[in-house]
Amino acid sequence: MVLLKEDGSEQVVYDYPDYPMYVHRNRLSSYANFAAPSHWHADIELIYIDFGAMRYNINGTVVSLQKGEGLLVNARQVHFGFSDTHEECEFLCILLHPQLLCISPAYERDFVFPLLSSESIPFIHFSPSIPWQQLILEQMCEMERISKTPAAQLKIQSAFLAIWALLFENLNAFCLKESRKSRDLSILKTMIRFIQHNYKKRLPLADIAASGAIGQSKCCQLFARYVGQTPNQNVTQYRINQSIRLLKNSDMSIIEIAGETGFASASYFSETFRKWTGKSPTEYRKMSI
């Protein structure tokens, strides 16, 4: 389940209550239609592909990630991983809040804020063929290895600082200058927040567009440009992923889950679920046990 803050960003459930760190493995097959929901958060996201491949959408730009490659997604970017071909992918996902880097106001001013605020760096694609990027990929894997060892929090923070130092050593200075926030992305985030807060209700296109204070045509353009979906497809995907959570973690009936996730009837829910996952809700539940 994706928990949301008031601004619509994801409320990350960290591994340690007092330390904003999350280090976990996942598989694309755990998401409906092999696609994670579009989301954003204040954390830096690091992805490392351990098996298979996936595509990653960041603000509408799609990156292909192969085994051994990685990705850094800057804070507050709209993003999600997916596979059009339903290819399995096992990946390491690391979420680290930038406050871990802010040892003092000077560090934040000189080293943290310039990269976080740079619109020219929404993401960085890491290849093992580039030496300094290979060092960052190694640090990602090291974070997983040390995540269960004594003083893991200190070690993970140290690895995060090492990654940040490599970025500053190798990125062009002009990339780190502050620039104006994209109005279109701000509007898109508002509409995604509206969907994720209201997915249990009927959501006509007019209401989604109105939540962003734009017309329906502009609404469709923004979703197509940045998410690669229609607004209605985004609603359906979010509902399906919420239903998957309930199928796995509750004893609710199919009828109850359909009502809880915004589907007009159990039959329509089952039909839509099969289109998105290739299985009926009942089949999916049995498979997950």
Side-chain angles (χ1 to χ4, degrees), residues 46 48 68 70 126-143 158-167 169-170:
L46 299 170
Y48 177 82
F126 299 124
S127 169
S129 65
I130 300 174
W132 72 270
Q133 295 184 8
Q134 173 60 21
L135 291 174
I136 289 178
L137 294 169
E138 291 173 1
Q139 290 289 350
M140 292 186 198
C141 296
E142 178 69 3
M143 286 184 188
S158 176
F160 191 20
L161 286 164
I163 288 174
W164 211 258
L166 284 165
L167 293 175
E169 285 177 345
N170 292 280

Side-chain angles (χ1 to χ4, degrees), residues 18 33 45 68 80 105 136 165 199 221 228 231 250 267 271 286 288:
D18 297 322
N33 208 32
E45 181 161 324
F80 62 96
I136 289 178
Y199 70 95
Q221 290 172 9
S250 80
S267 60
E271 176 187 351
K286 289 179 180 178
S288 302

Side-chain angles (χ1 to χ4, degrees), residues 41-251:
H41 40 65
D43 304 83
I44 299 295
E45 181 161 324
L46 299 170
I47 298 291
Y48 177 82
I49 307 300
D50 194 61
F51 171 82
M54 77 160 105
R55 303 179 75 198
Y56 221 91
N57 184 315
I58 313 98
N59 300 338
T61 298
V62 176
V63 178
S64 294
L65 297 174
Q66 306 297 322
K67 179 179 178 181
E69 296 182 341
L71 187 73
L72 179 149
V73 181
N74 208 343
R76 307 195 70 79
Q77 310 301 310
V78 178
H79 60 277
F80 62 96
F82 67 100
S83 171
D84 289 327
T85 59
H86 291 188
E87 179 181 355
E88 183 61 280
C89 178
E90 182 172 317
F91 58 97
L92 176 63
C93 179
I94 301 170
L95 301 176
L96 301 164
H97 198 283
Q99 72 185 61
L100 293 168
L101 303 167
C102 299
I103 299 171
S104 71
Y107 272 84
E108 181 176 8
R109 180 194 66 223
D110 296 336
F111 298 112
V112 181
F113 184 74
L115 199 156
L116 289 183
S117 63
S118 175
E119 285 187 10
S120 62
I121 310 179
F123 68 91
I124 305 170
H125 183 185
F126 299 124
S127 169
S129 65
I130 300 174
W132 72 270
Q133 295 184 8
Q134 173 60 21
L135 291 174
I136 289 178
L137 294 169
E138 291 173 1
Q139 290 289 350
M140 292 186 198
C141 296
E142 178 69 3
M143 286 184 188
E144 181 187 30
R145 189 191 69 79
I146 62 181
S147 63
K148 304 300 181 183
T149 64
Q153 299 93 322
L154 286 171
K155 296 173 185 175
I156 292 172
Q157 183 180 29
S158 176
F160 191 20
L161 286 164
I163 288 174
W164 211 258
L166 284 165
L167 293 175
F168 263 79
E169 285 177 345
N170 292 280
L171 293 177
N172 293 329
F174 75 87
C175 291
L176 302 178
K177 293 180 181 178
E178 182 181 359
S179 56
R180 184 176 56 85
K181 186 177 180 180
S182 167
R183 181 175 180 273
D184 281 351
L185 273 176
S186 179
I187 293 171
L188 178 67
K189 290 176 183 179
T190 298
M191 293 189 293
I192 291 176
R193 175 179 62 195
F194 177 79
I195 289 170
Q196 294 178 348
H197 278 297
N198 296 279
Y199 70 95
K200 297 181 183 182
K201 307 173 185 176
R202 181 174 173 271
L203 287 179
L205 175 60
D207 289 357
I208 298 172
S211 72
I214 58 174
Q216 296 181 38
S217 176
K218 175 75 169 180
C219 170
C220 293
Q221 290 172 9
L222 291 183
F223 273 91
R225 183 187 311 158
Y226 292 112
V227 185
Q229 294 177 318
T230 67
N232 286 337
Q233 287 171 334
N234 191 265
V235 172
T236 300
Q237 181 187 33
Y238 193 77
R239 287 172 172 166
I240 291 294
N241 276 300
Q242 295 300 96
S243 72
I244 285 175
R245 174 183 62 83
L246 294 175
L247 287 168
K248 287 181 176 180
N249 303 310
S250 80
D251 295 324

